[in-house]
């Protein structure tokens, strides 16, 4: 089960992590992301597929807003 969860988390990040990675393309700092699954084994797959993309999107937009446009 643990390997399956790791695979699901990696796949979800690969599919949905681009906006978060793009926020750091022009920055001098870095981001270390640690994901800890704390749910029921029976619903792990659907939970990860539903919640991790939403969490990545929320992190990209709220924690690291895009830089303000010049002249705005």
């Amino acid at each position: 089960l643990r390997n399956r969860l790791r695979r699901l988390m990696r796949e979800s990040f690969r599919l949905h992590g681009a906006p978060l990675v793009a926020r750091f393309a022009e920055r001098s700092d870095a981001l270390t992301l640690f994901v800890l699954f704390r749910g029921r084994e029976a619903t792990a797959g659907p939970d990860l597929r539903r919640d991790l993309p939403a969490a990545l999107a929320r992190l990209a937009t709220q924690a690291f807003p895009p830089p303000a446009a010049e002249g705005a």
Side-chain angles (χ1 to χ4, degrees):
L1 176 67
R2 186 176 62 189
N3 288 336
R4 185 172 143 263
L5 291 176
R6 285 182 190 167
R7 187 181 76 244
L8 288 170
M9 286 189 276
R10 281 193 307 263
E11 177 186 358
S12 186
F13 186 82
R14 182 180 56 80
L15 293 173
H16 304 284
L20 182 59
V21 172
R23 295 278 195 257
F24 283 85
E26 297 178 6
R27 294 174 60 132
S28 61
D29 53 352
L31 172 70
T32 300
L33 182 65
F34 179 80
V35 177
L36 178 65
F37 179 76
R38 293 179 40 169
R40 294 190 318 243
E41 292 179 16
T43 61
D47 290 349
L48 281 172
R49 287 185 186 98
R50 180 193 65 226
D51 297 337
L52 192 54
L56 291 171
R58 193 170 53 244
L59 181 62
T61 57
Q62 293 179 4
F64 303 101
E70 290 193 29

